[in-house]
Amino acid sequence: LNALRRLVSLCCLAACVAASDEACEAPMTLSSFAHALNEKFIAKVGEGRAREFRPELLPARVADSSLELHLVEPSSERFFTYASDNGWNNQLLNLLCGLDMARSLNRTLIVPPFSWPRRRGPAKVSVCRLVDAARLAAVRGVRLVCEDEHGGVLGSLGALGVAAEHISGEGQPHRKRKVHRWSREGWVGRWGASSAPLLAVSCCLFWTWRLPDEVAFELYSHFEYHPALVRAARAAAAPLGDEYAAMHVRRGDKVSVDVAYRDSFPRMGPDYFLRLAAREGLPAGATVFVATDELDRAWFAPLREQGFGLRFADDLDRAPLLEALSSFPQAVRMTAAAATATITPICPPPPLPHRPCGQTCSPSSSRSSARAHPRDSSARSPPR
């Protein structure tokens, strides 16, 4: 059963994963779905008109928890989508905000694929290949569909006459002064009764939408990476042993060129991470996996001097990682690899990537994770 659910999520099927049957009609078997276009091709060949066959965009279908496929009826279903941008953590926050916003309007969320044209070029990858969509669909009231890399979902809805009403996002309050944040009451009051079949918000949701602590915790408690990436991370972490700690040291562009953070990140030197390790109670001599973009290993000398056995991505078992990443577009493998590195501590749910925090967990043995991501102090955080 789990294997079939993951197959549906992985392939996306130009479909969505829903938490209930209420919004769905016309159940269809998986085999019938797979062969729908073949039947039309066979009919053309039988008529001696094979060259006239043109593949069509299949109507979007929903895969529910019973693993039945249902035709989405645009006349009764309403949708919500958004534009996403920047790195993976930013787009993950957009996803969580989008889930909450769509649910508040009783709409099905269409999750845009991950893409970052300014840094990764034109490559795209469906978010259903990065996260476990079935787990998110288990959140009460959530219905979602992952757009594929070629726009098949919006394309099929467009072919059925579904038009979008565009809503302008409000920008980034920490960069642009006097930019207000949306209120939940105002959002529902303005758009709750909208008859538009598709609402589309420009970037970026997480700067202007507040997730209350209880909602953030609910969504993060259902967030998991895709099972294939989790399996790869577990296998890759085997050289670290049965018990280890994990630390995320973000430097790179944040230290040098990002105007929003280049004043704060340089202050997070080795001493900062030593204090963080002490706060987390990491014992001297502990093995610590460091997920980092700091390639100068001499930078970590003070941590080694305190007896920590530091391990980096190059110390992981590469074979399962390469196998997991081989199906991703070349330009976004870096993002998938970074996501896999953050899975390595195997500590779900992950902390929100915008405030200093630490986490202790014990999936099979005691492991701890110390991470630091200072950002806007007014950003949302689940209870720790």
Side-chain angles (χ1 to χ4, degrees):
L1 188 64
N2 287 335
L4 284 175
R5 181 180 288 110
R6 291 166 184 171
L7 175 63
V8 172
S9 298
L10 178 63
C11 297
C12 298
L13 300 178
C16 62
V17 183
S20 68
D21 304 344
E22 296 174 359
C24 306
E25 300 290 342
M28 172 184 264
T29 65
L30 184 61
S31 58
S32 297
F33 179 86
H35 294 287
L37 282 181
N38 282 348
E39 294 175 357
K40 295 185 178 182
F41 175 73
I42 291 171
K44 285 290 186 183
V45 173
E47 297 169 1
R49 302 162 61 190
R51 293 182 179 275
E52 298 179 12
F53 172 76
R54 297 293 183 272
E56 301 173 0
L57 283 172
L58 291 175
R61 285 175 166 80
V62 65
D64 62 27
S65 57
S66 68
L67 298 183
E68 289 185 327
L69 291 164
H70 303 263
L71 180 67
V72 171
E73 178 51 60
S75 62
S76 60
E77 183 75 5
R78 298 184 304 162
F79 301 90
F80 173 79
T81 192
Y82 58 91
S84 203
D85 196 8
N86 302 314
W88 170 242
N89 280 342
N90 282 196
Q91 298 201 29
L92 171 57
L93 285 174
N94 283 337
L95 167 60
L96 298 179
C97 292
L99 288 168
D100 188 38
M101 296 172 77
R103 179 174 63 171
S104 70
L105 301 179
N106 192 27
R107 288 176 175 265
T108 295
L109 175 65
I110 301 175
V111 184
F114 172 82
S115 66
W116 196 5
R118 297 191 309 278
R119 300 281 288 273
R120 301 290 183 264
K124 299 179 180 181
V125 62
S126 171
V127 170
C128 272
R129 297 176 63 188
L130 291 167
V131 308
D132 190 338
R135 282 282 299 158
L136 290 176
V139 177
R140 182 175 178 81
V142 165
R143 303 190 303 275
L144 68 97
V145 50
C146 284
E147 178 62 280
D148 60 46
E149 291 87 344
H150 306 288
V153 174
L154 290 176
S156 64
L157 292 176
L160 295 173
V162 175
E165 180 171 351
H166 294 276
I167 304 171
S168 177
E170 298 294 338
Q172 301 180 356
H174 74 305
R175 297 177 189 266
K176 301 177 181 178
R177 301 302 180 187
K178 299 182 180 180
V179 175
H180 68 278
R181 294 183 185 272
W182 289 333
S183 72
R184 182 176 301 269
E185 295 76 14
W187 170 255
V188 175
R190 173 66 179 85
W191 300 105
S194 173
S195 61
L198 172 62
L199 296 177
V201 180
S202 62
C203 193
C204 288
L205 302 185
F206 78 96
W207 289 122
T208 48
W209 183 256
R210 292 185 182 275
L211 286 178
D213 282 353
E214 63 276 10
V215 175
F217 186 83
E218 176 192 24
L219 295 177
Y220 262 93
S221 67
H222 284 81
F223 174 82
E224 292 182 7
Y225 280 99
H226 193 280
L229 294 180
V230 173
R231 288 194 299 270
R234 286 175 173 160
L240 302 180
D242 293 333
E243 189 167 320
Y244 58 92
M247 183 177 291
H248 185 186
V249 180
R250 177 75 180 271
R251 289 176 56 77
D253 57 339
K254 297 299 182 186
V255 173
S256 56
V257 297
D258 194 315
V259 295
Y261 306 114
R262 65 186 180 193
D263 291 335
S264 58
F265 269 76
R267 296 197 297 268
M268 295 166 53
D271 289 344
Y272 172 88
F273 287 94
L274 283 172
R275 293 194 301 271
L276 189 60
R279 190 188 79 182
E280 292 297 310
L282 302 187
T287 297
V288 180
F289 171 71
V290 183
T292 184
D293 55 1
E294 176 57 73
L295 300 182
D296 181 6
R297 299 301 187 239
W299 189 89
F300 298 93
L303 283 82
R304 286 197 178 92
E305 292 169 2
Q306 293 299 314
F308 292 117
L310 304 185
R311 302 291 184 270
F312 299 91
D314 289 341
D315 297 309
L316 301 176
D317 185 347
R318 299 184 184 186
L321 292 179
L322 293 176
E323 181 180 0
L325 299 177
S326 62
S327 64
F328 284 84
Q330 185 78 23
V332 297
R333 287 181 186 174
M334 183 187 305
T335 295
T340 306
T342 65
I343 303 169
T344 300
I346 319 176
C347 293
L352 281 173
H354 56 247
R355 66 180 270 236
C357 59
Q359 182 181 23
T360 300
C361 66
S362 53
S364 58
S365 60
S366 176
R367 305 179 185 185
S368 63
S369 172
R371 307 183 184 193
H373 296 271
R375 289 205 179 194
D376 180 11
S377 61
S378 64
R380 292 72 51 212
S381 310
R384 301 307 313 159

